[in-house]
Amino acid sequence: SQTIHQWPATLVQPVGSPLSLECTVEGTSNPNLYWYRQAAGRGLQLLFYSVGIGQISSEVPQNLSASRPQDRQFILSSKKLLLSDSGFYLCASGTGGGNTIYFGEGSWLTVV
Amino acid sequence: AQTVTQSQPEMSVQEAETVTLSCTYDTSESNYYLFWYKQPPSRQMILVIRQEAYKQQNATENRFSVNFQKAAKSFSLKISDSQLGDTAMYFCAREDGSSNTGKLIFGQGTTLQVKP
């Protein structure tokens, strides 16, 4: 099975400051990688996914961006955070075809 | 938009009893995959059970089983002999097979409280 490492676990940032959340994957190669956001303890919204190095697809227009500099590294960034960016962010990894998608432990972001 | 709907925001069950969580979905694909994930208070997302739409037989994992009704596009989760550790938020999800990216479309979740 795969292991997803995600950090930092908790982050409090002022409005207008930059953001970098990082995720690394162990136990597989060439995975599909995903960033989800969970607001107010409800459903998960897919923000970005990547099927390979340097390949990023955005699901919703937003203030955030993603990058995949290495096969098993996925980074979520922002140049200037908004209050609405607050939430719980989850990195996930999978191989498609109905196989299990594995999740990291998540990062709590509070923008103040 | 292809969606996943969980119509029960909150449910509760007595320990040792059985509870069923509902899920319906929308898709135009003939074969696809469905999942139930559990999110306990720790927030870690854990796979509970998966079902391939091509297979008629309902999936079972120990105390967890599904009632998959393909024509009705319904995928409910039954938890038997509920335990306190089953207290969590449960998410139904469908894999988006149209793009071959493996991405999951989630429902809004059902918060389950198991009472002693």
Side-chain angles (χ1 to χ4, degrees), chain A residues 34 36 38 41 59 98 101, chain B residues 37 39 43 50 89 95 101:
Chain A
Y34 314 89
Y36 284 89
Q38 185 178 24
E59 287 289 291
I101 287 187
Chain B
Y37 276 85
Q39 187 181 42
R43 289 278 186 158
R50 63 188 285 272
M89 196 163 200
E95 181 178 303
T101 59

Side-chain angles (χ1 to χ4, degrees), chain A residues 4-27:
Chain A
I4 318 297
H5 299 285
Q6 189 178 337
W7 70 94
T10 305
L11 201 57
V12 180
Q13 292 286 98
V15 169
S17 64
L19 171 74
S20 180
L21 299 180
E22 191 162 343
C23 168
T24 58
V25 180
E26 294 179 357

